[in-house]
Amino acid sequence: MELPLVVGVDGSEPSLRAVDWAADEAALRGVPLRLVYASLWERYEGAALATGLGRSSEQVLADTIVEAAAKRAHRREADVKISTEVLPEEPVPALLREGQIASALVLGSRGRGGIAELLLGSVSLAVAARADCPVIVLRGSHDNRATSATRGRVVLGVGEEPENSAAVRFAFQEAAQRRVPLEAVRAWRCPGYETTDHPLMAGEPARLHEERAVQTLDAALRDAPEGVELHRRTAEGPARTVLLDASADAGLLVVGAQRRHGHFGLQLGRVAHTVLHHCACPVAVVPQRA
């Protein structure tokens, strides 16, 4: 059975953008689309009250939200199979559970204009930091118009251990489905203690670090599928800064996140955390089991 693409909806503009984007993505992947609304309305309203009076106002609102989202997705991609679910529980655990049987989770950024629009909502951050499947957060395009999933190249942030990387495989897949180029980026820095004032050694430490970055890129792209247009780029500087610059005109930025056994807190590195808050395009955080 094909795993669905799951979208968290709450009626906000960011979640509507997520529905549009996910409908396009589901059509590209050829998978079902599942729309999920999670709220503790039953806990607060009371199950007995909801039974005695018919449906509570919160339940009516929840049903209205998912029905409107489903109609919106159907108008955008009529051939995609769509299902909906209203869950009476906290959004984060509900979405994490949904992610166990999903091909990916798609979430809105939940910002609300000005400075707030630059910041990621707590639900999106918590899910991206703990989910078992890739989580795509809709950054950029801060109006009510979703950017099509087929526009712009895919940018991949290549980490320290690219071999057998889930993020690399995900980026290959996304670029192939979209029929767009894949730009693999590896940032490098030369520590200050390795520099020297000797004229014969000038630039030597930096050259060695850049060569290592090139080798890391080659390892990451070794198993690239045929037909994907590849671009390799190394850049000196902090990885988060390099990737934010690369995302300015990209369609999707892909980064990895280590998931360590026995660790139950938020598992996001500094790079993934930064791009989730400030990226100019959608960000896919792909978990990698350590």
Side-chain angles (χ1 to χ4, degrees):
M1 184 178 65
E2 293 175 320
L3 295 178
L5 192 66
V6 176
V7 190
V9 299
D10 60 10
S12 66
E13 290 184 2
S15 81
L16 293 177
R17 291 198 299 269
V19 169
D20 289 346
W21 195 94
D24 293 344
E25 180 76 4
L28 282 174
R29 294 181 178 212
V31 300
L33 182 64
R34 178 170 167 80
L35 309 176
V36 175
Y37 177 95
S39 171
L40 284 176
W41 59 268
E42 186 173 82
R43 178 182 296 181
Y44 296 134
E45 297 271 355
L49 178 62
T51 301
L53 300 179
R55 296 192 303 165
S56 69
S57 59
E58 177 67 21
Q59 186 180 16
V60 170
L61 175 62
D63 290 340
T64 300
I65 287 173
V66 295
E67 289 170 6
K71 290 179 181 178
R72 183 178 178 120
H74 180 73
R75 286 195 300 268
R76 192 170 181 100
E77 296 288 349
D79 294 333
V80 171
K81 182 180 179 181
I82 300 170
S83 62
T84 64
E85 186 79 26
V86 175
L87 301 173
E89 57 184 298
E90 290 280 6
V92 172
L95 290 169
L96 290 175
R97 189 180 64 253
E98 290 287 328
Q100 294 174 358
I101 52 172
S103 58
L105 288 166
V106 181
L107 304 171
S109 61
R110 194 65 176 142
R112 287 287 187 179
I115 295 176
E117 188 67 89
L118 298 176
L119 303 177
L120 192 67
S122 59
V123 171
S124 298
L125 182 61
V127 173
R130 295 166 55 192
D132 292 324
C133 70
V135 176
I136 303 166
V137 178
L138 269 291
R139 299 296 306 168
S141 188
H142 299 312
D143 50 25
N144 197 27
R145 296 170 295 177
T147 300
S148 170
T150 61
R151 294 180 183 174
R153 73 196 188 288
V154 173
V155 175
L156 167 66
V158 176
E160 292 290 344
E161 300 177 359
E163 291 87 356
N164 300 317
S165 166
V168 172
R169 294 193 299 272
F170 183 89
F172 285 155
Q173 178 187 32
E174 292 298 306
Q177 288 169 343
R178 288 171 168 76
R179 298 181 181 178
V180 298
L182 172 62
E183 180 181 10
V185 180
R186 173 64 181 171
W188 61 272
R189 301 183 74 179
C190 182
Y193 63 81
E194 293 185 11
T195 60
T196 177
D197 293 330
H198 195 288
L200 296 179
M201 291 294 292
E204 184 68 13
R207 184 182 63 81
L208 293 175
H209 283 283
E210 186 173 15
E211 286 179 355
R212 293 192 190 106
V214 171
Q215 292 169 1
T216 301
L217 282 179
D218 289 341
L221 303 177
R222 184 175 298 142
D223 298 323
E226 293 184 6
V228 174
E229 180 182 342
L230 297 177
H231 299 276
R232 296 168 170 83
R233 183 160 70 89
T234 62
E236 183 178 10
R240 53 188 180 272
T241 302
V242 170
L243 292 178
L244 287 175
D245 290 343
S247 77
D249 57 352
L252 180 68
L253 172 63
V254 180
V255 294
Q258 291 289 332
R259 298 286 193 263
R260 303 192 182 280
H261 294 290
H263 185 90
F264 299 102
L266 300 184
Q267 299 190 60
L268 277 179
R270 288 179 296 176
V271 173
H273 191 277
T274 299
V275 298
L276 279 171
H277 279 283
H278 302 293
C279 192
C281 72
V283 178
V285 177
V286 182
Q288 177 75 41
R289 291 292 174 186

